Amino acid sequence: MNSATVRNLLVRGMLAGLAAGVLALVVAYFLGEPNVDSAIGLEEAHAHTHGDAGADAGGHDEEEVVSRSLQSTAGLATGILVYGVAFGGIAALAFCFALGRIGRFGPRATALLLSGCALLAVYVVPYLKYPVNPPAVGDPDTIGKRTTLYFLMMVLSVLLAIAATLLGKRLAPALGTWYATVAAVAAFAVAVGLAYAFLPVINEVPDDFPATLLWRFRLSALAIQTVLWGGLGLFLGELAERLLHPKAVPSEPGGAVPAAR
């Protein structure tokens, strides 16, 4: 690809990320935010029960720096849309590199395959080891450790996915595409399993926290990411297809379309 094509795909990737972010925002607002509100309600009730509901030394409640309504609207929209645009640009660059190098796939199939692999490596694998927690779950003193371990698992997952892809390409001439893919996926699964086994386990969910609410919160978080990455793959694939394979419109020199016979 020349630089102009890469630039056009980068712009389209960012637009695709923005469109996917809008879809994810709808899911987050209607599916995720009610669970966040429920968890915050439990946290506040627990704090009042123990007499530490954010009161300061004078017995007055601390003022919110950012209101909950602003967090659940403008703050949520800003975070998801910026996330979508940023990863849309990264996905577009990865698409430019992958197109034609990972098999005989067209732009749509390549974009969808990349988005699925990204969802798995960037989110699902770290999520299964260190799932997200709602408010009222987690020790504030360990947030730095938990964040470091999560991003470490994410980096390991991405590196292992790249290594598995290279392994599959190396084995393909000897084993064939099918068996090379199976071997690469098996190697990736084994490596991830070893990482799960050696990295420390963190479980700070209180015994009295409702299991149903925890399940709904984590399921909604997974749904948001699935919609975001799935939408990104679909939108990027469609925009890339139209850019790289524009449909020719038959016309005569005078500009008239030949009449059907």
Side-chain angles (χ1 to χ4, degrees):
M1 293 185 184
N2 55 43
S3 59
T5 302
V6 173
R7 183 170 59 251
N8 288 333
L9 282 172
L10 177 61
V11 173
R12 282 162 173 76
M14 296 172 70
L15 291 175
L18 180 62
V22 172
L23 296 180
L25 176 61
V26 173
V27 176
Y29 186 79
F30 288 103
L31 186 61
E33 284 302 307
N35 297 319
V36 175
D37 289 335
S38 299
I40 291 175
L42 285 174
E43 184 179 34
E44 292 176 347
H46 184 269
H48 280 291
T49 301
H50 291 79
D52 56 355
D56 57 20
H60 302 290
D61 292 338
E62 297 179 351
E63 295 183 359
E64 289 182 320
V65 177
V66 180
S67 67
R68 173 63 189 143
S69 60
L70 185 61
Q71 293 176 11
S72 61
T73 53
L76 179 67
T78 300
I80 291 181
L81 295 181
V82 170
Y83 182 93
V85 171
F87 275 97
I90 296 173
L93 296 178
F95 173 86
C96 293
F97 176 80
L99 186 62
R101 291 186 172 93
I102 57 174
R104 297 180 180 179
F105 299 109
R108 292 191 183 100
T110 299
L112 199 57
L113 180 61
L114 278 177
S115 66
C117 292
L119 172 65
L120 177 67
V122 175
Y123 188 78
V124 174
V125 170
Y127 170 90
L128 292 177
K129 177 63 178 178
Y130 299 113
V132 294
N133 289 325
V137 174
D139 184 358
D141 295 333
T142 64
I143 188 171
K145 176 183 177 181
R146 287 184 280 122
T147 302
T148 301
L149 288 173
Y150 181 87
F151 279 102
L152 175 60
M153 189 66 242
M154 181 189 298
V155 171
L156 283 175
S157 176
V158 171
L159 292 178
L160 290 173
I162 295 173
T165 302
L166 296 177
L167 177 63
K169 290 181 67 67
R170 180 68 63 86
L171 295 177
L175 301 180
T177 302
W178 171 255
Y179 290 108
T181 302
V182 171
V185 170
F188 175 77
V190 170
V192 169
L194 291 175
Y196 280 5
F198 284 102
L199 288 175
V201 177
I202 296 179
N203 183 15
E204 298 178 345
V205 180
D207 294 335
D208 59 346
F209 192 87
T212 302
L213 177 56
L214 180 63
W215 168 252
R216 289 203 309 264
F217 180 86
R218 290 178 172 175
L219 191 62
S220 64
L222 181 60
I224 294 167
Q225 293 291 329
T226 301
V227 170
L228 178 67
W229 286 101
L232 176 58
L234 291 173
F235 289 131
L236 176 58
E238 184 62 30
L239 293 175
E241 180 75 24
R242 295 188 179 191
L243 174 67
L244 299 175
H245 300 144
K247 294 181 179 179
V249 179
S251 61
E252 292 183 341
V257 178
R261 294 181 180 178

